[in-house]
């Protein structure tokens, strides 16, 4: 990616790689940028990496390499609660049916 302009970039993901502890690649070089106020939808078939991407961005699974920058702050190595990123899972695991 080119240099980051904090005025025009709310989220920057650069060459994100995530792997399981056994070495299976979950994400391989994912890069994108979102401008302030911009929305994104991630769609794809089962196993495409949608949930892995959300978990890597939020810090639930560790990133092997690459960066996640929120508002010009590199949050890649921060704990999930300190990143300023969240997501709502498809299933409601807390409340059941």
């Amino acid at each position: 990616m080119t240099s980051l302009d904090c005025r025009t970039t709310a989220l920057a993901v650069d060459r994100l790689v995530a792997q399981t502890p056994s070495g299976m690649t979950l994400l391989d070089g994912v890069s994108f940028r979102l401008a302030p106020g911009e929305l994104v939808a991630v769609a794809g078939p089962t196993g495409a990496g949608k949930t892995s991407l959300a978990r890597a961005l939020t810090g639930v699974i560790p990133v092997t390499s690459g960066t996640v920058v929120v508002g010009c702050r590199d949050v890649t190595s921060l704990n999930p609660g300190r990143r300023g990123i969240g997501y709502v899972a498809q299933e409601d695991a807390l409340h059941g049916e």
Side-chain angles (χ1 to χ4, degrees), residues 2 5 10 17 19-20 24 29-30 36 39 42 45 48 52 59 63 65-66 68 77-79 87 90 93 95:
T2 58
D5 181 349
V17 175
Q19 297 176 326
T20 65
M24 184 176 116
V30 176
L39 301 174
V42 179
S52 294
V63 171
S65 65
V68 178
S77 61
L78 296 180
N79 291 331
Y87 83 102
Q90 182 175 345
H95 300 100

Side-chain angles (χ1 to χ4, degrees), residues 48-85:
K50 302 174 299 291
T51 299
S52 294
L53 176 61
R55 289 178 174 169
L57 293 176
T58 59
V60 173
I61 60 172
V63 171
T64 307
S65 65
T67 57
V68 178
V69 177
V70 177
C72 284
R73 182 174 153 224
D74 186 342
V75 301
T76 310
S77 61
L78 296 180
N79 291 331
R82 301 188 52 84
R83 288 186 178 216
I85 302 174

Side-chain angles (χ1 to χ4, degrees), residues 8-36:
T8 60
T9 306
L11 173 66
V13 176
D14 189 27
R15 297 181 303 255
L16 199 67
V17 175
Q19 297 176 326
T20 65
S22 65
M24 184 176 116
T25 300
L26 300 172
L27 301 171
D28 189 13
V30 176
S31 297
F32 64 91
R33 288 190 178 178
L34 294 177

